[in-house]
Amino acid sequence: MELNQTQYFQQVGNEQELDVHDILRQVYSALTEKGYNPVNQIVGYIMSGDPTYITSYKNARSLIMKAERDDIMEALLESYIETRLK
């Protein structure tokens, strides 16, 4: 082992990482199907960090917790800028 070389850690298993946009799409769909206002619920989650704003239906709660809240905000802002300001 050489101490001046960076070691690489490879993820065990073949679990594919979901894109934040895909996570939001699935969570939005689950919230809508359950009759919630998805925008209000997602904002509540982002502002508070409380996952109970997101339904557990279709594993949406577990799914949204796989993304960092700042990454979610970044994805939302990027989408807004791309569709509204360009």
Side-chain angles (χ1 to χ4, degrees), residues 46-75:
I46 291 170
M47 297 296 292
S48 70
D50 183 355
T52 61
Y53 278 96
I54 307 301
T55 182
S56 58
Y57 178 69
K58 289 192 171 179
N59 211 26
R61 186 177 298 154
S62 296
L63 193 57
I64 202 162
M65 291 184 342
K66 290 182 179 184
E68 297 291 328
R69 287 184 296 147
D70 58 331
D71 291 337
I72 294 170
M73 282 298 302
E74 184 178 328

Side-chain angles (χ1 to χ4, degrees), residues 28 39 75-86:
Y28 185 95
V39 172
L76 292 170
L77 186 57
E78 284 174 353
S79 292
Y80 179 83
I81 289 170
E82 287 176 9
T83 59
R84 300 290 181 150
L85 303 179
K86 285 189 175 182

